[in-house]
Amino acid sequence: MLDKALRPLHPFFFAHVRLAIVDILNLNEDTESPGDFSFHDHPVTRVEIQGVIVNVKQRQQFLQYIIDDGTGLIPCMSWLEADTAQSTRQPTILELGALVNVRGKLSTYKQERQIVVSTIRVEEDPNMESWWWLETIHLRQEVYSAPVAKFVSKFEQAAAPSTKQTKVDYESSFQAQLLRVIDAMEVAAFPYSHIRQHSELMACAVELVSKHSTVDCTNEVKESLVSSLFSRCMRRLVAEGHVFMLDVQQDTYGVVNVATLQPIILEMLGSNSPGVQQDAILDRLKMDPRFRSTSRAKLISALDALVEASVIFEVEPKRFAVLR
């Protein structure tokens, strides 16, 4: 069994795993962590399928396609953009009988497996179906069914302490301090210069560089090392989804917090009185390049904060609507 801490390091974790629908329906789901699926102990979060549309349901906020690939049926939820859902313009609906290729995030709703669509396209060449199956069967037998131990050694090597552990420790310490300062500012955006000139952060960076540097620290060298430390830690905060580049020319960063997420979530919920499922909200937020690297836990905490502030409420467990 793959350790949960190593799941994000697995090459399948962010990949669209190509499976037959019967395999998707039979995937193991962690009872203690709903939404964590696995195939032969390999993590599966996103899938790719190909099949025929056998049913279409249209709602105000989404289209539901039922896809049949000959091994089973699965609903695919295609959420409409806010302007399309709220306008009188009819969304484009794919025809029954169309052969389609679907990619999306796997989830469970009311005990039923479903795919939240990221892309869906019609396959014009019917010969591609045979090719798709040949490749899918090959992947299943040669890649997806391989022992997870084949991959684990690489993960453990990557996670193992190195001779640079001291450097990693002090950089992680500074990164945590940097994030605390950014959170304490309680702003939606800030110029990088503001952080670089922050007296507390500068003092912390200078102390760490002086203590851990292996070269003689003249003022010029020390300034260069401090600048490099700030730059590396900011890149890591971006990679981990705490901040995002807002304006490259102005060197301005946006902060992933309630202030940033609230208008987006409210627009997403709109006037939809039945509410929107938590997984659908999170999936749509994760499609935004600004929040692609942000953890689900951070996004969920923003939803909780909006509930606590009486901006939104839970219509039922994990289904949210705007409080009128």
Side-chain angles (χ1 to χ4, degrees), residues 93-136:
I93 302 176
L94 302 181
E95 296 180 355
L96 288 174
L99 177 65
V100 293
N101 183 283
V102 180
R103 285 185 165 198
K105 182 78 182 302
L106 193 58
S107 65
T108 300
Y109 177 62
K110 292 184 177 179
Q111 307 301 316
E112 184 180 32
R113 210 59 58 82
Q114 66 175 17
I115 298 172
V116 179
V117 175
S118 55
T119 63
I120 181 169
R121 62 178 178 81
V122 176
E123 184 54 71
E124 302 291 350
D125 184 356
N127 295 318
M128 291 301 292
E129 185 175 12
S130 299
W131 176 86
W132 191 93
W133 274 111
L134 286 173
E135 189 173 60
T136 300

